[in-house]
Amino acid sequence: MEKNKEYQVLLYYCYAKIENAEEYREQHHLFCVENNIRGRIIISDEGLNGTVSGLKEDCEKYMAYVHSDPRFAKTEFKIDSHETHAFAKIHVRYKPEIVHSSLRHLDPNVKTGKHLEPEDFRKLKDEEDVVILDVRSNYEHELGHFKNALTLDIDNFRDFPEKVKELEHLKNKKVLTYCTGGIKCEKASAFLLEQGFEDVYQLHGGIIKYGMEAGGEDFEGKCYVFDNRIAVDVNKVNPTVVSKCHVCGTHSDRMVNCANPSCNIHVAVCEECGWELEGACSTECKVHPEKRPYDGTGYYQKQSNGYNPYKGLQRSPKKEKQLHGEAANS
């Protein structure tokens, strides 16, 4: 019997200038705490980037809160149903960029690749003069990618600009970029244009929206996501498994983090090997003195001294009383 999916997971980003980013981070964090929103949110001078979870009604309040600010009115949310929170905590952090790219000089609101809606991407991707370019990291595209996609050997998106040097021979092609939710493509496609590529597109809303609106056709494997689900199904048309167990080599789309925190690599490990190695990726990691207890999921919350949702809030005594439900004038 299918579980009740009373919660939602929201994936979103918005490139928009924030003059008072650190002050806004405080306000945004407080709203999340007061409305039981959990997840990871980055606030930057160049915009917002987040994945959050909450009860459906709380998520609706959160989306309304974001849209109520004129700076973020255009924000598009990818909404997925879930049985419970996809996060244990709320982290709202200020960072120089909303995705670390080493391309701070590029503003996607000024120039970026042409946005393709999922159905348009589906129709265009198999044309003869088209190259489908995955701009994600190795552990992401190894778990799942579009059929015939060109993948890059990068561990972090900040390595993307260096790899573009290897793509010079594709400048006369239509280049269709894609990523998880669309955010990396905004700067990846802008950088390609800057480097002289003329016909550059991006999958609007990324793999997640493509699965929701175009059935995920020809996306092979699963999509890596940055919450405790780790990986999600995308393809409802012609699904397949492309990733292999890091240990034994059998086909497996069961993604884990190595139980050894000093390693912590993201790899596919089949259930049998997972239990045999107690969540580790190798015998060496299995015997590591700091190895974390394995519960069969391969997902580990960051260590903390108990869940403190108020961590990071700069609270005045008055605000602290209000947060704890005390009278402001007591």
Side-chain angles (χ1 to χ4, degrees), residues 5-226:
K5 295 189 175 182
E6 299 176 353
Y7 288 77
Q8 290 181 334
V9 181
L10 309 178
L11 176 66
Y12 69 94
Y13 69 90
C14 182
Y15 279 98
K17 293 191 184 304
I18 305 176
E19 301 294 337
N20 52 345
E22 296 203 48
E23 180 183 336
Y24 178 71
R25 186 218 71 84
E26 173 90 0
Q27 298 166 7
H28 202 104
H29 189 176
L30 182 58
F31 183 91
C32 292
V33 169
E34 291 176 338
N35 290 277
N36 196 27
I37 294 294
R38 302 180 190 174
R40 298 189 185 102
I41 301 166
I42 295 172
I43 308 288
S44 167
D45 301 324
E46 65 177 9
L48 309 174
N49 174 21
T51 307
V52 301
S53 66
L55 285 165
K56 184 179 178 182
E57 54 267 35
D58 292 333
C59 284
E60 287 173 352
K61 289 178 189 174
Y62 179 75
M63 289 187 283
Y65 169 71
V66 172
H67 284 148
S68 69
D69 190 316
R71 295 173 293 186
F72 317 125
K74 66 181 181 180
T75 304
E76 182 176 298
F77 289 89
K78 274 74 73 178
I79 307 170
D80 203 0
S81 298
H82 200 41
E83 296 86 10
T84 184
H85 266 295
F87 296 91
K89 307 174 184 180
I90 179 66
H91 294 287
V92 185
R93 294 188 174 96
Y94 171 81
K95 292 190 177 182
E97 298 176 277
I98 55 176
V99 61
H100 189 12
S101 67
S102 68
L103 297 171
R104 289 194 210 178
H105 66 290
L106 295 175
D107 182 353
N109 290 313
V110 175
K111 190 173 185 180
T112 190
K114 302 165 194 168
H115 287 68
L116 284 175
E117 293 303 320
E119 189 58 32
D120 296 324
F121 181 92
R122 188 187 68 79
K123 291 174 182 175
L124 188 60
K125 65 181 176 58
D126 295 321
E127 290 189 6
E128 191 173 331
D129 61 339
V130 162
V131 174
I132 308 170
L133 179 62
D134 192 319
V135 304
R136 300 172 303 154
S137 304
N138 290 327
Y139 65 90
E140 296 174 90
H141 62 66
E142 285 172 3
L143 178 65
H145 51 258
F146 277 102
K147 181 180 178 181
N148 300 323
L150 174 63
T151 58
L152 303 175
D153 181 15
I154 57 177
D155 292 323
N156 292 285
F157 183 56
R158 62 178 176 267
D159 302 325
F160 175 79
E162 187 65 27
K163 281 292 176 181
V164 168
K165 295 176 182 177
E166 301 173 7
L167 308 178
E168 289 286 321
H169 62 291
L170 301 175
K171 284 189 173 179
N172 63 334
K173 301 280 190 180
K174 289 180 182 174
V175 180
L176 275 56
T177 66
Y178 74 89
C179 59
T180 306
I183 186 171
K184 291 178 180 177
C185 288
E186 296 283 6
K187 287 207 172 181
S189 63
F191 183 71
L192 289 170
L193 289 169
E194 184 183 65
Q195 298 305 302
F197 291 78
E198 295 182 2
D199 213 0
V200 182
Y201 302 78
Q202 58 179 286
L203 174 56
H204 181 50
I207 299 163
I208 299 300
K209 187 176 181 182
Y210 183 81
M212 292 175 174
E213 296 186 8
E217 182 179 352
D218 288 337
F219 185 83
E220 301 178 326
K222 289 189 175 183
C223 181
Y224 187 93
V225 291
F226 298 87

Side-chain angles (χ1 to χ4, degrees), residues 280-293:
C281 70
S282 65
T283 303
E284 291 76 16
C285 283
K286 179 181 178 179
V287 298
H288 193 278
E290 295 178 12
K291 190 185 80 66
R292 298 169 288 204

